[in-house]
Amino acid sequence: MKPLPLALLMSLIAAAAYAGETRQLDAHEHGVGQLDIAFESSQIAMELHAPGADIVGFEYAAESAGDRAKVDSAVALLARPLDLFSLPEAAKCTVVQASAELESEAAHDKHEENHAHDDHKHDEHAHEDHAEHTDEDHAAHSEKSGHTEFHAEYLLNCADPAAVSVIEFAYFTAFPNALELEVQVISNTGASAFEVTRDAPVLDLRGMF
Amino acid sequence: MILRLAFASLMARALTVAMTILAIALSVALFLGVEKVRTGAKASFADTISGTDLIVGARSGSVQLLLYSVFRIGNATNNMTWESYRDIEARPDVDWIVPVSLGDSHRQFRVMGTTTAFFDRYKYRSGQSLSIRDGQVMDDLFDTVIGADVAETLGYETGDPIVVAHGLASFIEHDYQPFRVSGILAKTGTPVDRTVIVSLKAIEAIHVDWQSGVKIPGQSTPVDVIRQLDLEPQAVTAALIGVKSRLQVFGLQRAINEYQQEPLLAILPGVALQELWQIVGIAETALIAVSGMVVVTALIGMMATIFASLNERRREMAIFRAMGARPRTITGLLVLEAALMAALGAVIGLALLYVGLAIAQPVVDRAFGLWLPVEAPTLREFSVLAGVVCAGVIVSMVPAVRAYRMSLADGMMVRI
């Protein structure tokens, strides 16, 4: 009867470890991304979060060459903020810093556990899933392995930031799956929220200066 | 000439006309009043917090967090642990952080535990700081600083002892700890006026002999023993944060919202307020629509009285015509009378509004903390008044056209 206490101990440890975990997931809505814009003296900081579905049209890990190419070109495009969000000429803005990346928002616990236990197997499994991509599979899959999100950060320097009274969102032409951006703007007059949609891809910032 | 005629004609039917004008005046006053309350409420809300970049509290909704932390409306779902508070405080992008601890009350007023930094950091009405009208900021463990309304309603002076009760509507009072009023704040027109401010440690001190919300029977720790205790708070209700650079606001917000150890929520006050207006917007629109309909009803009432008067005035009209007045003159007379009534109604309505405001202002302020400014009418209000007169003219066209057609034939014919 020796193994039993050990097993018991193991399960207790496992239970304790499980209880210590925190589980949380960000809200994720396809078609809707977030853009935060902060004005501080001559600098403008922008941060974009957009679901993978908006940018490349899929949210599984890119496996095929075609998918990889899509992700790469999207990241390259996202790294050029002035092509996506066109600011008035008068503001004379230049990009100081721009970075874009694809984050996979893994459903924490289960997913990570799998990783820890058997990384290789998990990958294979994921691969299989996508090879035969039926609807059912997809539903099960998206439940299991979370969503992906593109994340980009920009820092602009503008000669006359107050001239940024309007921003035109070429973003929607660049990414045909994107429908809406929830925009938060903060300037010296305070914070404000806007919604910019595909139908009206213009942000009016006249009230913010 | 025609103006004098119109005026005299109105005077001849003074009672009916006065009633019509009164109806229009009341409806106009109501419409403008609703508008005043609406813009007053908005301005008063928007003026309550300024200069704070983020508000942090337990994860709930942004509107809820804003309402309970700043406006003292509703209650917190959860508190935020002191450890998380310290964690956020230690972040390099945080310039200042002020804790807010709610949940106790003094009579009908809420007690807020905070640090003295609150008096420097809390800003209202685009950057105005709190100022102490009398006395000083709390300095001792049992010192309190009270808002202007608290002092006025309860008649407190600096130095007065006060008792702080546990829970909002609780009858059990923390009557073992002798708090003292150390300062009274100048009137701000914000919820701070109705708040009793104590130090965070004082909030802990109140609860020394309490466990799970119940007083431990027979136990009461003397004041000097409490002073010796380590009164590190366990939790706060919310915290106001200022960042070093605006560029970091969103990064900090995201970091707090994704904080693993505790479900926290960071909101931008301005954005949360906007969300609140979106919710309230529907009710606002309904209110405006209803008061607009009241104005329309009053104008239709005026049309009805003009119609009724046409009957009485058949002979009068016929005599005008017989004396050489053109049908157009008759029409003009009626329209002018209506315009005069509507204009008088609008002006009296405006006057009623200001009288009402002057009477209601202190009452509303005391009851709801809503400051309705008595200001010269805005362009918008003048356009509303002009609109009422125009609508009056348009409405009066209906009976006027009828009079135009009938004036001669109708009045001259002898009815059998």
Side-chain angles (χ1 to χ4, degrees):
Chain A
M1 290 310 269
K2 234 182 180 178
L4 187 64
L6 187 69
L8 199 69
L9 191 69
M10 291 297 278
S11 69
L12 274 177
I13 290 170
Y18 194 71
E21 266 179 61
T22 50
R23 290 177 294 276
Q24 47 180 327
L25 265 179
D26 275 350
H28 182 95
E29 190 183 341
H30 288 185
V32 182
Q34 273 107 40
L35 177 70
D36 297 333
I37 307 174
F39 290 88
E40 171 87 73
S41 57
S42 69
Q43 287 185 310
I44 302 177
M46 293 166 92
E47 216 180 318
L48 174 74
H49 290 260
D54 286 25
I55 305 294
V56 287
F58 59 85
E59 298 212 335
Y60 47 83
E63 296 285 345
S64 70
D67 286 351
R68 275 174 210 268
K70 265 190 191 171
V71 170
D72 288 346
S73 71
V75 167
L77 188 53
L78 283 172
R80 295 199 304 272
L82 294 181
D83 291 353
L84 297 175
F85 310 102
S86 41
L87 308 172
E89 291 278 321
K92 295 196 187 70
C93 294
T94 50
V95 179
V96 177
Q97 207 181 307
S99 64
E101 59 179 351
L102 176 66
E103 286 173 344
S104 74
E105 169 74 56
H108 299 292
D109 25 282
K110 251 190 187 168
H111 196 71
E112 271 168 16
E113 232 173 53
N114 276 346
H115 260 291
H117 281 301
D118 196 342
D119 217 340
H120 185 65
K121 209 173 182 179
H122 176 70
D123 274 350
E124 245 178 33
H125 168 72
H127 195 69
E128 245 172 44
D129 248 17
H130 298 299
E132 15 180 302
H133 195 64
T134 66
D135 270 3
E136 261 175 31
D137 262 357
H138 183 70
H141 173 77
S142 55
E143 240 176 47
K144 236 184 281 172
S145 75
H147 301 275
T148 57
E149 205 179 58
F150 282 86
H151 176 204
E153 277 185 41
Y154 315 117
L155 186 63
L156 311 178
N157 206 330
C158 299
D160 182 13
V164 186
S165 52
V166 71
I167 299 180
E168 280 170 41
F169 284 62
Y171 170 84
F172 292 106
T173 6
F175 304 113
N177 288 325
L179 300 175
E180 188 184 324
L181 273 182
E182 282 170 4
V183 185
Q184 292 191 98
V185 182
I186 185 162
S187 72
N188 51 356
T189 57
S192 199
F194 302 88
E195 261 178 24
V196 179
T197 59
R198 172 166 288 280
D199 301 331
V202 177
L203 177 63
D204 186 349
L205 291 175
R206 268 172 300 178
M208 297 303 291
F209 297 102
Chain B
M1 163 66 191
I2 190 164
L3 189 71
R4 218 187 65 205
L5 205 60
F7 199 73
S9 149
L10 287 179
M11 288 305 282
R13 291 169 291 124
L15 193 65
T16 331
V17 168
M19 286 301 138
T20 310
I21 290 174
L22 185 66
I24 294 172
L26 280 177
S27 71
V28 166
L30 179 71
F31 188 81
L32 294 180
V34 165
E35 192 69 11
K36 269 264 190 254
V37 171
R38 195 177 69 92
T39 49
K42 262 194 182 176
S44 152
F45 264 73
D47 279 348
T48 296
I49 188 150
S50 129
T52 297
D53 293 312
L54 290 171
I55 301 174
V56 186
R59 198 167 296 163
S60 48
S62 50
V63 172
Q64 192 193 4
L65 175 57
L66 179 79
L67 287 181
Y68 73 66
S69 64
V70 177
F71 298 102
R72 324 256 188 275
I73 298 172
N75 289 301
T77 42
N78 262 314
N79 277 352
M80 165 184 173
T81 61
W82 186 243
E83 277 150 292
S84 302
Y85 174 85
R86 296 300 296 262
D87 256 14
I88 295 169
E89 190 179 25
R91 289 182 60 98
D93 34 9
V94 173
D95 183 25
W96 53 266
I97 179 165
V98 173
V100 169
S101 197
L102 300 163
D104 284 279
S105 67
H106 174 69
R107 305 284 187 89
Q108 70 269 44
F109 300 106
R110 294 231 178 164
V111 173
M112 180 179 84
T114 184
T115 57
T116 46
F118 179 80
F119 300 100
D120 304 325
R121 298 302 183 184
Y122 179 82
K123 298 275 187 336
Y124 67 100
R125 211 162 291 163
S126 30
Q128 231 171 304
S129 292
L130 293 174
S131 67
I132 301 242
R133 190 182 74 197
D134 197 11
Q136 57 180 26
V137 169
M138 63 254 186
D139 167 38
D140 184 69
L141 179 59
F142 293 111
D143 275 357
T144 68
V145 172
I146 59 175
D149 289 355
V150 181
E152 195 190 326
T153 312
L154 303 177
Y156 287 153
E157 306 273 333
T158 46
D160 283 357
I162 70 169
V163 167
V164 177
H166 184 52
L168 265 182
S170 169
F171 293 103
I172 319 160
E173 297 202 322
H174 294 243
D175 44 6
Y176 293 94
Q177 289 90 22
F179 280 86
R180 183 180 76 87
V181 176
S182 79
I184 298 171
L185 293 170
K187 178 102 184 157
T188 61
T190 70
V192 174
D193 292 346
R194 294 179 302 286
T195 307
V196 175
I197 301 170
V198 300
S199 69
L200 269 189
K201 285 190 170 175
I203 292 273
E204 292 302 310
I206 301 167
H207 301 101
V208 163
D209 294 323
W210 290 67
Q211 227 162 41
S212 330
V214 182
K215 184 153 179 24
I216 304 164
Q219 191 174 329
S220 79
T221 314
V223 168
D224 42 333
V225 177
I226 290 179
R227 284 183 193 280
Q228 307 298 317
L229 292 173
D230 174 26
L231 296 170
E232 174 102 327
Q234 300 287 311
V236 294
T237 310
L240 312 179
I241 294 179
V243 293
K244 291 201 176 113
S245 156
R246 264 198 294 279
L247 302 180
Q248 295 159 335
V249 171
F250 294 115
L252 182 63
Q253 185 188 23
R254 204 164 273 272
I256 293 171
N257 286 342
E258 287 169 0
Y259 188 69
Q260 288 286 333
Q261 287 83 346
E262 194 181 348
L264 295 177
L265 175 71
I267 56 162
L268 298 158
V271 171
L273 208 55
Q274 255 181 321
E275 265 177 57
L276 182 64
W277 295 141
Q278 275 171 15
I279 300 167
V280 179
I282 303 162
E284 263 182 8
T285 317
L287 215 58
I288 292 178
V290 168
S291 51
M293 287 314 286
V294 175
V295 176
V296 171
T297 312
L299 289 175
I300 290 177
M302 178 177 79
M303 181 166 81
T305 51
I306 297 175
F307 259 125
S309 73
L310 281 188
N311 239 352
E312 292 170 15
R313 296 167 72 184
R314 276 161 64 225
R315 288 209 176 264
E316 179 192 337
M317 297 296 170
I319 290 165
F320 281 142
R321 291 284 281 126
M323 288 175 68
R326 292 151 180 254
R328 222 186 305 141
T329 317
I330 303 290
T331 314
L333 181 69
L334 283 174
V335 170
L336 191 64
E337 282 178 21
L340 276 176
M341 281 196 273
L344 240 108
V347 169
I348 295 173
L350 194 66
L352 273 179
L353 172 74
Y354 280 100
V355 171
L357 268 183
I359 296 169
Q361 192 184 45
V363 182
V364 172
D365 182 37
R366 221 173 301 128
F368 307 106
L370 197 67
W371 185 251
L372 302 173
V374 180
E375 288 164 343
T378 58
L379 198 66
R380 196 185 144 82
E381 283 165 323
F382 276 124
S383 56
V384 167
L385 296 184
V388 168
V389 177
C390 286
V393 167
I394 292 166
V395 158
S396 70
M397 291 291 189
V398 184
V401 164
R402 191 183 153 85
Y404 178 94
R405 289 212 187 120
M406 319 270 285
S407 54
L408 187 62
D410 190 42
M412 291 299 229
M413 259 189 300
V414 180
R415 280 196 192 170
I416 305 161

